[in-house]
Amino acid sequence: MSVNDHGEAMFADDEGSRTLGIELVEVSEGRAVTRLAIGPEMLNGLGLCHGGFIFAVGDTALAFAANSQGEGAPTRAAAISYRRPARAGTVLTATAQVIERDDKQLLVEVEVTDQDHELIASLRGESRLPR
């Protein structure tokens, strides 16, 4: 696994993801992998990982897959389905893949799994290509 040059440059400017503790693991054409270790400060009132952190690691992978070749394609819509909870100590890995592309947009699917490869959430997003 490696991060391409564009991915490195983009991540260097991604203050938000770095502040949350998200790691960029891999970026290649149309694909990206991110990782986030869930700490106690990320739990909600039920003692489970707040859904916003799960979304954030998935959304970051989506963005890097959509922009893996320097497209400059912002996300215009994204939806997530939570499959099972995550707890403190869980390491989330988000794997994003561009599944459809035309001259105006990209469609990206993301799976967020835990360290046991159990599906935690699935995310689907659209990114708009610049004109």
mmCIF file with all atom_site columns, all heavy atoms in Angstrom, residues 94-107:
data_model
loop_
_atom_site.group_PDB
_atom_site.id
_atom_site.type_symbol
_atom_site.label_atom_id
_atom_site.label_alt_id
_atom_site.label_comp_id
_atom_site.label_asym_id
_atom_site.label_entity_id
_atom_site.label_seq_id
_atom_site.pdbx_PDB_ins_code
_atom_site.Cartn_x
_atom_site.Cartn_y
_atom_site.Cartn_z
_atom_site.occupancy
_atom_site.B_iso_or_equiv
_atom_site.pdbx_formal_charge
_atom_site.auth_seq_id
_atom_site.auth_comp_id
_atom_site.auth_asym_id
_atom_site.auth_atom_id
_atom_site.pdbx_PDB_model_num
ATOM 1   N N   . ALA A 1 94  ? -11.474 2.576  6.442   1.00 0.00 ? 94  ALA A N   1
ATOM 2   C CA  . ALA A 1 94  ? -12.423 2.928  5.392   1.00 0.00 ? 94  ALA A CA  1
ATOM 3   C C   . ALA A 1 94  ? -11.750 2.715  4.037   1.00 0.00 ? 94  ALA A C   1
ATOM 4   O O   . ALA A 1 94  ? -10.673 3.255  3.785   1.00 0.00 ? 94  ALA A O   1
ATOM 5   C CB  . ALA A 1 94  ? -12.863 4.384  5.527   1.00 0.00 ? 94  ALA A CB  1
ATOM 6   N N   . THR A 1 95  ? -12.399 1.924  3.195   1.00 0.00 ? 95  THR A N   1
ATOM 7   C CA  . THR A 1 95  ? -11.887 1.642  1.853   1.00 0.00 ? 95  THR A CA  1
ATOM 8   C C   . THR A 1 95  ? -12.887 2.199  0.847   1.00 0.00 ? 95  THR A C   1
ATOM 9   O O   . THR A 1 95  ? -14.049 1.786  0.829   1.00 0.00 ? 95  THR A O   1
ATOM 10  C CB  . THR A 1 95  ? -11.710 0.127  1.652   1.00 0.00 ? 95  THR A CB  1
ATOM 11  O OG1 . THR A 1 95  ? -10.848 -0.372 2.683   1.00 0.00 ? 95  THR A OG1 1
ATOM 12  C CG2 . THR A 1 95  ? -11.118 -0.174 0.286   1.00 0.00 ? 95  THR A CG2 1
ATOM 13  N N   . ALA A 1 96  ? -12.420 3.130  0.039   1.00 0.00 ? 96  ALA A N   1
ATOM 14  C CA  . ALA A 1 96  ? -13.276 3.809  -0.940  1.00 0.00 ? 96  ALA A CA  1
ATOM 15  C C   . ALA A 1 96  ? -12.844 3.451  -2.346  1.00 0.00 ? 96  ALA A C   1
ATOM 16  O O   . ALA A 1 96  ? -11.649 3.355  -2.634  1.00 0.00 ? 96  ALA A O   1
ATOM 17  C CB  . ALA A 1 96  ? -13.195 5.321  -0.752  1.00 0.00 ? 96  ALA A CB  1
ATOM 18  N N   . GLN A 1 97  ? -13.835 3.284  -3.209  1.00 0.00 ? 97  GLN A N   1
ATOM 19  C CA  . GLN A 1 97  ? -13.578 2.939  -4.612  1.00 0.00 ? 97  GLN A CA  1
ATOM 20  C C   . GLN A 1 97  ? -14.535 3.722  -5.506  1.00 0.00 ? 97  GLN A C   1
ATOM 21  O O   . GLN A 1 97  ? -15.744 3.716  -5.264  1.00 0.00 ? 97  GLN A O   1
ATOM 22  C CB  . GLN A 1 97  ? -13.802 1.433  -4.824  1.00 0.00 ? 97  GLN A CB  1
ATOM 23  C CG  . GLN A 1 97  ? -13.534 0.952  -6.222  1.00 0.00 ? 97  GLN A CG  1
ATOM 24  C CD  . GLN A 1 97  ? -12.056 0.970  -6.565  1.00 0.00 ? 97  GLN A CD  1
ATOM 25  O OE1 . GLN A 1 97  ? -11.234 0.473  -5.813  1.00 0.00 ? 97  GLN A OE1 1
ATOM 26  N NE2 . GLN A 1 97  ? -11.716 1.547  -7.696  1.00 0.00 ? 97  GLN A NE2 1
ATOM 27  N N   . VAL A 1 98  ? -13.995 4.386  -6.522  1.00 0.00 ? 98  VAL A N   1
ATOM 28  C CA  . VAL A 1 98  ? -14.847 5.017  -7.533  1.00 0.00 ? 98  VAL A CA  1
ATOM 29  C C   . VAL A 1 98  ? -15.475 3.892  -8.340  1.00 0.00 ? 98  VAL A C   1
ATOM 30  O O   . VAL A 1 98  ? -14.766 3.044  -8.886  1.00 0.00 ? 98  VAL A O   1
ATOM 31  C CB  . VAL A 1 98  ? -14.035 5.956  -8.447  1.00 0.00 ? 98  VAL A CB  1
ATOM 32  C CG1 . VAL A 1 98  ? -14.904 6.478  -9.591  1.00 0.00 ? 98  VAL A CG1 1
ATOM 33  C CG2 . VAL A 1 98  ? -13.445 7.116  -7.646  1.00 0.00 ? 98  VAL A CG2 1
ATOM 34  N N   . ILE A 1 99  ? -16.806 3.863  -8.397  1.00 0.00 ? 99  ILE A N   1
ATOM 35  C CA  . ILE A 1 99  ? -17.493 2.782  -9.114  1.00 0.00 ? 99  ILE A CA  1
ATOM 36  C C   . ILE A 1 99  ? -18.126 3.245  -10.416 1.00 0.00 ? 99  ILE A C   1
ATOM 37  O O   . ILE A 1 99  ? -18.486 2.422  -11.253 1.00 0.00 ? 99  ILE A O   1
ATOM 38  C CB  . ILE A 1 99  ? -18.549 2.089  -8.232  1.00 0.00 ? 99  ILE A CB  1
ATOM 39  C CG1 . ILE A 1 99  ? -19.620 3.074  -7.791  1.00 0.00 ? 99  ILE A CG1 1
ATOM 40  C CG2 . ILE A 1 99  ? -17.893 1.403  -7.054  1.00 0.00 ? 99  ILE A CG2 1
ATOM 41  C CD1 . ILE A 1 99  ? -20.859 2.407  -7.246  1.00 0.00 ? 99  ILE A CD1 1
ATOM 42  N N   . GLU A 1 100 ? -18.255 4.552  -10.567 1.00 0.00 ? 100 GLU A N   1
ATOM 43  C CA  . GLU A 1 100 ? -18.851 5.087  -11.789 1.00 0.00 ? 100 GLU A CA  1
ATOM 44  C C   . GLU A 1 100 ? -18.310 6.486  -12.023 1.00 0.00 ? 100 GLU A C   1
ATOM 45  O O   . GLU A 1 100 ? -18.108 7.247  -11.074 1.00 0.00 ? 100 GLU A O   1
ATOM 46  C CB  . GLU A 1 100 ? -20.376 5.140  -11.609 1.00 0.00 ? 100 GLU A CB  1
ATOM 47  C CG  . GLU A 1 100 ? -21.153 5.394  -12.865 1.00 0.00 ? 100 GLU A CG  1
ATOM 48  C CD  . GLU A 1 100 ? -22.641 5.303  -12.576 1.00 0.00 ? 100 GLU A CD  1
ATOM 49  O OE1 . GLU A 1 100 ? -23.095 4.260  -12.052 1.00 0.00 ? 100 GLU A OE1 1
ATOM 50  O OE2 . GLU A 1 100 ? -23.347 6.292  -12.866 1.00 0.00 ? 100 GLU A OE2 1
ATOM 51  N N   . ARG A 1 101 ? -18.083 6.795  -13.288 1.00 0.00 ? 101 ARG A N   1
ATOM 52  C CA  . ARG A 1 101 ? -17.549 8.109  -13.635 1.00 0.00 ? 101 ARG A CA  1
ATOM 53  C C   . ARG A 1 101 ? -18.082 8.518  -14.997 1.00 0.00 ? 101 ARG A C   1
ATOM 54  O O   . ARG A 1 101 ? -18.127 7.706  -15.919 1.00 0.00 ? 101 ARG A O   1
ATOM 55  C CB  . ARG A 1 101 ? -16.021 8.041  -13.677 1.00 0.00 ? 101 ARG A CB  1
ATOM 56  C CG  . ARG A 1 101 ? -15.371 9.335  -14.042 1.00 0.00 ? 101 ARG A CG  1
ATOM 57  C CD  . ARG A 1 101 ? -13.872 9.159  -14.245 1.00 0.00 ? 101 ARG A CD  1
ATOM 58  N NE  . ARG A 1 101 ? -13.283 10.439 -14.553 1.00 0.00 ? 101 ARG A NE  1
ATOM 59  C CZ  . ARG A 1 101 ? -12.436 11.088 -13.791 1.00 0.00 ? 101 ARG A CZ  1
ATOM 60  N NH1 . ARG A 1 101 ? -12.016 10.552 -12.684 1.00 0.00 ? 101 ARG A NH1 1
ATOM 61  N NH2 . ARG A 1 101 ? -11.966 12.264 -14.148 1.00 0.00 ? 101 ARG A NH2 1
ATOM 62  N N   . ASP A 1 102 ? -18.498 9.777  -15.106 1.00 0.00 ? 102 ASP A N   1
ATOM 63  C CA  . ASP A 1 102 ? -18.796 10.343 -16.414 1.00 0.00 ? 102 ASP A CA  1
ATOM 64  C C   . ASP A 1 102 ? -18.122 11.710 -16.482 1.00 0.00 ? 102 ASP A C   1
ATOM 65  O O   . ASP A 1 102 ? -17.266 12.005 -15.639 1.00 0.00 ? 102 ASP A O   1
ATOM 66  C CB  . ASP A 1 102 ? -20.311 10.384 -16.697 1.00 0.00 ? 102 ASP A CB  1
ATOM 67  C CG  . ASP A 1 102 ? -21.095 11.261 -15.734 1.00 0.00 ? 102 ASP A CG  1
ATOM 68  O OD1 . ASP A 1 102 ? -20.533 12.243 -15.189 1.00 0.00 ? 102 ASP A OD1 1
ATOM 69  O OD2 . ASP A 1 102 ? -22.291 10.979 -15.519 1.00 0.00 ? 102 ASP A OD2 1
ATOM 70  N N   . ASP A 1 103 ? -18.472 12.530 -17.435 1.00 0.00 ? 103 ASP A N   1
ATOM 71  C CA  . ASP A 1 103 ? -17.766 13.805 -17.580 1.00 0.00 ? 103 ASP A CA  1
ATOM 72  C C   . ASP A 1 103 ? -18.180 14.854 -16.550 1.00 0.00 ? 103 ASP A C   1
ATOM 73  O O   . ASP A 1 103 ? -17.559 15.908 -16.456 1.00 0.00 ? 103 ASP A O   1
ATOM 74  C CB  . ASP A 1 103 ? -17.937 14.355 -18.998 1.00 0.00 ? 103 ASP A CB  1
ATOM 75  C CG  . ASP A 1 103 ? -19.390 14.590 -19.376 1.00 0.00 ? 103 ASP A CG  1
ATOM 76  O OD1 . ASP A 1 103 ? -20.282 13.967 -18.764 1.00 0.00 ? 103 ASP A OD1 1
ATOM 77  O OD2 . ASP A 1 103 ? -19.635 15.390 -20.300 1.00 0.00 ? 103 ASP A OD2 1
ATOM 78  N N   . LYS A 1 104 ? -19.217 14.569 -15.731 1.00 0.00 ? 104 LYS A N   1
ATOM 79  C CA  . LYS A 1 104 ? -19.694 15.537 -14.758 1.00 0.00 ? 104 LYS A CA  1
ATOM 80  C C   . LYS A 1 104 ? -19.517 15.114 -13.304 1.00 0.00 ? 104 LYS A C   1
ATOM 81  O O   . LYS A 1 104 ? -19.439 15.954 -12.418 1.00 0.00 ? 104 LYS A O   1
ATOM 82  C CB  . LYS A 1 104 ? -21.175 15.830 -14.984 1.00 0.00 ? 104 LYS A CB  1
ATOM 83  C CG  . LYS A 1 104 ? -21.458 16.500 -16.309 1.00 0.00 ? 104 LYS A CG  1
ATOM 84  C CD  . LYS A 1 104 ? -22.931 16.764 -16.451 1.00 0.00 ? 104 LYS A CD  1
ATOM 85  C CE  . LYS A 1 104 ? -23.195 17.377 -17.813 1.00 0.00 ? 104 LYS A CE  1
ATOM 86  N NZ  . LYS A 1 104 ? -24.605 17.586 -18.057 1.00 0.00 ? 104 LYS A NZ  1
ATOM 87  N N   . GLN A 1 105 ? -19.497 13.806 -13.052 1.00 0.00 ? 105 GLN A N   1
ATOM 88  C CA  . GLN A 1 105 ? -19.476 13.367 -11.657 1.00 0.00 ? 105 GLN A CA  1
ATOM 89  C C   . GLN A 1 105 ? -18.821 12.011 -11.482 1.00 0.00 ? 105 GLN A C   1
ATOM 90  O O   . GLN A 1 105 ? -18.613 11.271 -12.435 1.00 0.00 ? 105 GLN A O   1
ATOM 91  C CB  . GLN A 1 105 ? -20.892 13.324 -11.094 1.00 0.00 ? 105 GLN A CB  1
ATOM 92  C CG  . GLN A 1 105 ? -21.747 12.230 -11.685 1.00 0.00 ? 105 GLN A CG  1
ATOM 93  C CD  . GLN A 1 105 ? -23.147 12.217 -11.091 1.00 0.00 ? 105 GLN A CD  1
ATOM 94  O OE1 . GLN A 1 105 ? -23.531 13.110 -10.339 1.00 0.00 ? 105 GLN A OE1 1
ATOM 95  N NE2 . GLN A 1 105 ? -23.922 11.226 -11.433 1.00 0.00 ? 105 GLN A NE2 1
ATOM 96  N N   . LEU A 1 106 ? -18.542 11.718 -10.212 1.00 0.00 ? 106 LEU A N   1
ATOM 97  C CA  . LEU A 1 106 ? -18.014 10.423 -9.789  1.00 0.00 ? 106 LEU A CA  1
ATOM 98  C C   . LEU A 1 106 ? -18.969 9.846  -8.752  1.00 0.00 ? 106 LEU A C   1
ATOM 99  O O   . LEU A 1 106 ? -19.509 10.581 -7.927  1.00 0.00 ? 106 LEU A O   1
ATOM 100 C CB  . LEU A 1 106 ? -16.654 10.588 -9.109  1.00 0.00 ? 106 LEU A CB  1
ATOM 101 C CG  . LEU A 1 106 ? -15.518 11.192 -9.900  1.00 0.00 ? 106 LEU A CG  1
ATOM 102 C CD1 . LEU A 1 106 ? -14.413 11.628 -8.964  1.00 0.00 ? 106 LEU A CD1 1
ATOM 103 C CD2 . LEU A 1 106 ? -15.001 10.187 -10.883 1.00 0.00 ? 106 LEU A CD2 1
ATOM 104 N N   . LEU A 1 107 ? -19.146 8.547  -8.759  1.00 0.00 ? 107 LEU A N   1
ATOM 105 C CA  . LEU A 1 107 ? -19.893 7.849  -7.724  1.00 0.00 ? 107 LEU A CA  1
ATOM 106 C C   . LEU A 1 107 ? -18.893 6.971  -6.978  1.00 0.00 ? 107 LEU A C   1
ATOM 107 O O   . LEU A 1 107 ? -18.148 6.203  -7.597  1.00 0.00 ? 107 LEU A O   1
ATOM 108 C CB  . LEU A 1 107 ? -21.005 7.008  -8.338  1.00 0.00 ? 107 LEU A CB  1
ATOM 109 C CG  . LEU A 1 107 ? -21.924 6.271  -7.379  1.00 0.00 ? 107 LEU A CG  1
ATOM 110 C CD1 . LEU A 1 107 ? -22.642 7.244  -6.449  1.00 0.00 ? 107 LEU A CD1 1
ATOM 111 C CD2 . LEU A 1 107 ? -22.935 5.453  -8.165  1.00 0.00 ? 107 LEU A CD2 1
#
